[in-house]
Amino acid sequence: MGSRRRLHSLFLALLLAALAPLVAASGSDDSAAPTPTPIAVMKLRDGRVLHNARVMSSASDGIVVNVDEGLIKIPKANLPDEVAGSLPAVPAQAQASDMVMQPFNPNLGQATPTPVAKPRPAPKPSPTPKPTPNPVFRGCTITSFQAKPFQNVLGAAEVVIRNDTDMAVVILPGDIACVTDSGSQLRGRQFVVDAYPPILRRRESVPPRGTLDEQVTFSNDALQVAAVRWSR
């Protein structure tokens, strides 16, 4: 009876030792936030040169950087190797078309060869708009943006503006422009406040040494927004 208990305890100890690495791996977090350290000069593969690039967000299809030229979304296929290699890796998921089921054949001499999957062509990078020469307007900087429809107006975005001066700055919707993936530029139409009833404004004031979080409408149709910048 004592021998069985000792064998049972030894089996449990070996099982726990084998499961410990799996539990530690499942609890680890492989995601890494983009580094806040700015990159002095970033040379893209399409020949453009950006200055003082700070990574704001990273996704599987590209990154959003805040540079002297404005707030720009860059596809990963257009990034230089040293920048693309420093971003957190996105685990590749197997596609259904890449998986081939083979029947079991005990005769290895007549085994059916496994078909080789054809390499998929790399996606073409989306055209990126030309950078604006002046990212600051009346002492204010656009720090971030996010596409956000407003009711039936699909072409709208939420924009955050920072005022680095000691005076309030009045801005108009037309002072802000969005650039689509195709390179077209649309100027803002209205500032809107999601309330009941909705509030439409023709101008806004950015407080001194403060920020303004405002939603801007550009078009009734849906837009693929690549950048938001000052129109002047």
Side-chain angles (χ1 to χ4, degrees):
M1 186 66 179
S3 299
R4 291 184 178 180
R5 291 181 177 177
R6 286 193 296 273
L7 289 176
H8 182 67
S9 300
L10 179 61
F11 175 75
L12 289 178
L14 293 176
L15 181 61
L16 292 175
L19 292 178
L22 298 178
V23 175
S26 63
S28 62
D29 184 8
D30 294 335
S31 62
T35 173
T37 303
I39 302 174
V41 178
M42 181 188 294
K43 297 182 179 179
L44 304 183
R45 295 184 179 180
D46 60 4
R48 293 183 300 116
V49 179
L50 305 179
H51 301 86
N52 296 323
R54 185 184 298 273
V55 180
M56 306 301 294
S57 63
S58 175
S60 59
D61 59 340
I63 62 174
V64 175
V65 295
N66 191 355
V67 293
D68 291 347
E69 292 77 11
L71 196 66
I72 300 177
K73 180 179 180 182
I74 307 175
K76 283 192 175 180
N78 201 18
L79 292 173
D81 294 337
E82 61 272 13
V83 177
S86 64
L87 297 177
V90 179
Q93 298 181 355
Q95 303 293 329
S97 59
D98 297 336
M99 301 176 63
V100 180
M101 300 297 294
Q102 293 292 333
F104 172 73
N105 189 352
N107 188 353
L108 299 180
Q110 299 179 357
T112 303
T114 302
V116 179
K118 296 181 180 180
R120 298 181 178 180
K124 295 181 180 180
S126 302
T128 304
K130 296 180 181 180
T132 176
N134 185 12
V136 180
F137 175 67
R138 295 179 181 175
C140 296
T141 304
I142 297 176
T143 60
S144 66
F145 73 92
Q146 179 181 5
K148 185 178 180 181
F150 176 75
Q151 296 184 0
N152 61 340
V153 180
L154 302 180
E158 185 176 5
V159 183
V160 178
I161 304 171
R162 184 184 70 239
N163 183 2
D164 294 323
T165 69
D166 295 327
M167 299 180 60
V169 177
V170 176
I171 59 173
L172 306 178
D175 296 334
I176 302 174
C178 77
V179 183
T180 64
D181 288 344
S182 61
S184 60
Q185 178 172 306
L186 299 175
R187 298 181 68 173
R189 294 179 177 179
Q190 291 176 325
F191 295 126
V192 296
V193 177
D194 192 1
Y196 185 81
I199 302 175
L200 304 180
R201 294 176 179 171
R202 294 293 183 181
R203 62 178 58 199
E204 275 290 0
S205 177
V206 188
R209 300 294 175 181
T211 59
L212 174 68
D213 189 341
E214 195 70 29
Q215 191 168 0
V216 188
T217 63
F218 299 99
S219 172
N220 292 336
D221 301 327
L223 301 175
Q224 294 295 330
V225 182
V228 173
R229 62 194 187 191
W230 298 114
S231 60
R232 302 183 184 184

